[in-house]
Amino acid sequence: MAIHSHLHSPPLDHLPHLSPSSSSSSSSSSSRPLRRSRSSKRRSVPTLPRFQGSFSFSALKFTGPNIRRRHGCHHLRRRNVQFRVFDEGSVDIPLLDGWGDHEDTKGYVMSSSDGEYSDAEFVVNPVNDIDLPTATVSNNDALSLAAHRLGMVGRGHKKHRQVIRYGVLLNIGLILFLTVLLLYVDGCAWRIVRLPLAPFYLTRPFLISAILASCAGYVCVPLLYGLKMYQIIRKQGPARHSVKKRTPTMGGLFFVPVGVIVAKYITGFSSTEVSGAAAATLAFGAIGLLDDILILIKNHNSGLSARAKILLEVAVGVCFSFWLNTRSVSSPYGMKMLVPLPAPLGLVQLGKWYLLLTSFCLVSMGNGVNLTDGLDGLAGGTAALAFVGMSIAVLPICSDLSIFGASMAGACVGFLLHNRYKASVFMGDTGSLALGGGLAAMAACTGMFFPLFVSSGIFVVEASSVIMQVLYFKTTKYFRGTGCRLFRMAPIHHHLELCGIKEPLIVAGAYVIASSLALFAGYLGLISA
């Protein structure tokens, strides 16, 4: 590789240890590379052979080789050569082709020859972080440089395919886990409910919703691309998320209705609890849809203001609470406003506080899922696990709501086929708010608030990290004058991402934690009922 600059340099003769061999005067002998004989006892100080092309520098700091004799052989230590400015001359240094490929690169070794008896080696270290001038490559080196770059591209594509393969494996593992778990619950359902249930009571709506949601995605995702409903990426987010700016959003439009319709169809459109949970899900989805539309219209990552969004969510929560208070929902205890808790606590009568708790859960769960929707497959997978955990927990109290939870979990899994790494569509606020509203509605209709907070532990942690970040920043700013941050970035999945953890690994860890929480939530619901 040849390196150019526009500055003049002193003659090369003034530079020590860089002149060609002085033992030969003819041009043929000076251009001949230095050879050594093993039989010779006395050897002159070796010098560098001539490089192809001109070789000159305007400012050069050079330390010659340190020569030692040991058992009749010369041992040359590596020394540092610091190049500050290159002038119009050029030098072919192939090892500089990868300059800047790695951030942790300290230097590059430049050797005059290869083999056991090579000449002195010099380590080239850039003194300052400067942009190197445009390199010119000879015709002979063009093929080598092209092959090197193609090799680097091939390795990049191979690594990219490997990361995408992780997303596929995560999807397959999640589907297998949920299917096996629901099949096991279906096999033991008669012991839980003490009533005969239809075969594959929970597995059937789960698989139907998963298949329909995945098929709907193959139709709707190209439509979203055609309408250019692209996700607006925050400038404050991680820099690597900028590659996702041409990914469409509002994926909740095709998978949330699938989960609701399948649940309504299997329950026969007669279940009051399923109707209420479906209404809360669609109402929160409508708020998210309005937010997504305003974002696309403004072409800026700010749709509804935070205050307006919270007010709308509180309004829906209050309306749902009053509906719950006026309607008669099935309860094995013969009365409403009860919260089942594990022994020895038992049943807790909350009265009017039950309505306040309902509104709080609807708002908090909706925003918790919305904050979690920051990585490919994170919100969809953890929501599917949370729905399955709630389906198991509410099975002894309201079996119809178990079908609703299994159907929504299947819809999330079908959406994950398009949202896995790297995602071809995002759910947007349309999907995230709807999922949070559906989870909270299942708990409000059965009193299973404690299993709700357990199965939705990932959403609770994500929302808590944002609250802690804001409080810590404001507190330190009040006492110190300058605000400090508890995390590098909130929510916490962005903090882990900035710590160097790959996106699929963060999602995989969240799936493992959410699976454990879903199993524990289902167990708590069964022993509480």
Side-chain angles (χ1 to χ4, degrees):
M1 183 172 100
I3 304 174
H4 299 281
S5 177
H6 301 288
L7 299 178
H8 297 285
S9 62
L12 189 62
D13 300 335
H14 296 283
L15 300 178
H17 305 289
L18 277 180
S19 59
S21 176
S22 58
S23 59
S24 58
S25 58
S26 63
S27 60
S28 60
S29 62
S30 61
S31 61
R32 184 182 308 134
L34 179 65
R35 298 182 180 272
R36 300 181 185 180
S37 175
R38 296 190 180 184
S39 60
S40 60
K41 296 182 180 181
R42 288 188 179 182
R43 294 179 176 84
S44 59
V45 176
T47 58
L48 279 172
R50 289 187 176 181
F51 293 93
Q52 297 176 356
S54 59
F55 185 92
S56 57
F57 304 94
S58 61
L60 177 67
K61 181 180 178 181
F62 178 81
T63 56
N66 185 15
I67 303 173
R68 296 179 300 167
R69 295 181 59 89
R70 181 183 297 176
H71 304 292
C73 297
H74 292 285
H75 296 270
L76 308 179
R77 294 181 179 177
R78 297 179 179 178
R79 289 298 185 183
N80 292 336
V81 182
Q82 299 179 346
F83 302 105
R84 296 185 178 273
V85 180
F86 297 92
D87 76 347
E88 296 178 356
S90 61
V91 54
D92 292 333
I93 307 177
L95 287 177
L96 290 178
D97 289 344
W99 191 290
D101 287 346
H102 305 284
E103 295 177 358
D104 56 346
T105 304
K106 300 299 182 183
Y108 297 88
V109 177
M110 180 178 66
S111 177
S112 60
S113 60
D114 297 329
E116 181 182 2
Y117 296 99
S118 61
D119 292 336
E121 295 180 348
F122 305 94
V123 181
V124 181
N125 289 312
V127 177
N128 296 321
D129 294 329
I130 58 175
D131 295 332
L132 294 179
T134 304
T136 60
V137 184
S138 63
N139 294 331
N140 295 331
D141 294 337
L143 292 178
S144 301
L145 182 60
H148 171 72
R149 290 179 177 176
L150 287 176
M152 295 297 294
V153 171
R155 286 197 293 269
H157 283 298
K158 183 178 180 181
K159 185 177 181 181
H160 178 72
R161 289 194 300 268
Q162 184 178 7
V163 175
I164 291 179
R165 194 179 299 118
Y166 290 155
V168 176
L169 293 177
L170 280 178
N171 261 12
I172 295 174
L174 180 64
I175 293 172
L176 290 177
F177 173 78
L178 292 178
T179 304
V180 171
L181 178 60
L182 291 177
L183 286 173
Y184 177 76
V185 174
D186 286 339
C188 304
W190 64 274
R191 298 180 182 177
I192 300 172
V193 184
R194 301 294 180 182
L195 292 174
L197 297 176
F200 305 105
Y201 188 75
L202 297 179
T203 309
R204 182 163 53 100
F206 172 78
L207 293 179
I208 293 175
S209 294
I211 294 173
L212 292 179
S214 61
C215 293
Y218 287 109
V219 176
C220 296
V221 171
L223 182 61
L224 294 174
Y225 268 108
L227 297 176
K228 297 182 179 180
M229 295 183 177
Y230 298 141
Q231 175 75 19
I232 305 298
I233 304 299
R234 292 187 311 161
K235 294 181 180 180
Q236 298 83 4
R240 67 184 64 179
H241 285 199
S242 60
V243 299
K244 304 180 181 182
K245 62 182 178 180
R246 294 186 62 84
T247 305
T249 184
M250 293 197 297
L253 285 175
F254 71 85
F255 82 90
V256 171
V258 168
V260 171
I261 293 173
V262 170
K264 290 289 291 181
Y265 177 78
I266 293 180
T267 55
F269 298 93
S270 59
S271 175
T272 304
E273 294 82 5
V274 173
S275 298
T281 301
L282 295 178
F284 269 76
I287 298 174
L289 178 61
L290 177 61
D291 188 30
D292 288 335
I293 291 175
L294 290 178
I295 289 176
L296 292 175
I297 292 175
K298 296 179 181 179
N299 197 19
H300 191 269
N301 192 22
S302 61
L304 287 171
S305 63
R307 181 174 300 178
K309 188 185 294 187
I310 292 296
L311 288 177
L312 289 175
E313 293 172 358
V314 170
V316 173
V318 170
C319 292
F320 183 82
S321 299
F322 279 106
W323 172 87
L324 191 63
N325 191 31
T326 56
R327 301 288 292 182
S328 60
V329 295
S330 60
S331 175
Y333 314 111
M335 57 187 304
K336 297 186 296 184
M337 312 304 174
L338 292 176
V339 177
L341 296 174
L345 298 176
L347 297 176
V348 178
Q349 173 67 27
L350 294 182
K352 298 301 180 181
W353 291 99
Y354 192 97
L355 304 179
L356 182 62
L357 181 60
T358 298
S359 299
F360 171 76
C361 287
L362 284 168
V363 176
S364 60
M365 285 296 109
N367 288 282
V369 180
N370 189 20
L371 292 172
T372 308
D373 186 26
L375 300 179
D376 296 345
L378 180 59
T382 51
L385 292 166
F387 271 112
V388 169
M390 287 299 298
S391 297
I392 301 172
V394 303
L395 184 60
I397 298 178
C398 183
S399 57
D400 289 342
L401 274 179
S402 294
I403 293 179
F404 175 81
S407 178
M408 292 300 297
C412 292
V413 168
F415 171 72
L416 280 179
L417 296 179
H418 308 278
N419 186 242
R420 60 170 174 78
Y421 188 87
K422 286 188 170 184
S424 59
V425 66
F426 298 139
M427 67 172 65
D429 290 0
T430 307
S432 58
L433 292 181
L435 294 179
L439 284 169
M442 290 181 65
C445 292
T446 57
M448 289 293 178
F449 292 104
F450 189 37
L452 171 67
F453 289 112
V454 174
S455 63
S456 305
I458 296 294
F459 310 138
V460 174
V461 171
E462 295 279 356
S464 301
S465 65
V466 175
I467 296 173
M468 293 168 60
Q469 181 88 323
V470 174
L471 291 179
Y472 187 78
F473 183 83
K474 290 185 176 181
T475 303
T476 53
K477 186 176 182 179
Y478 178 78
F479 287 102
R480 300 180 182 178
T482 57
C484 300
R485 289 175 173 82
L486 189 61
F487 305 104
R488 293 187 178 183
M489 185 178 292
I492 194 170
H493 60 259
H494 287 322
H495 170 78
L496 298 176
E497 194 175 8
L498 293 178
C499 288
I501 305 177
K502 300 298 183 181
E503 188 170 339
L505 295 180
I506 299 174
V507 176
Y511 283 3
V512 173
I513 297 173
S515 302
S516 304
L517 293 176
L519 292 175
F520 186 53
Y523 173 75
L524 286 177
L526 295 180
I527 64 175
S528 300

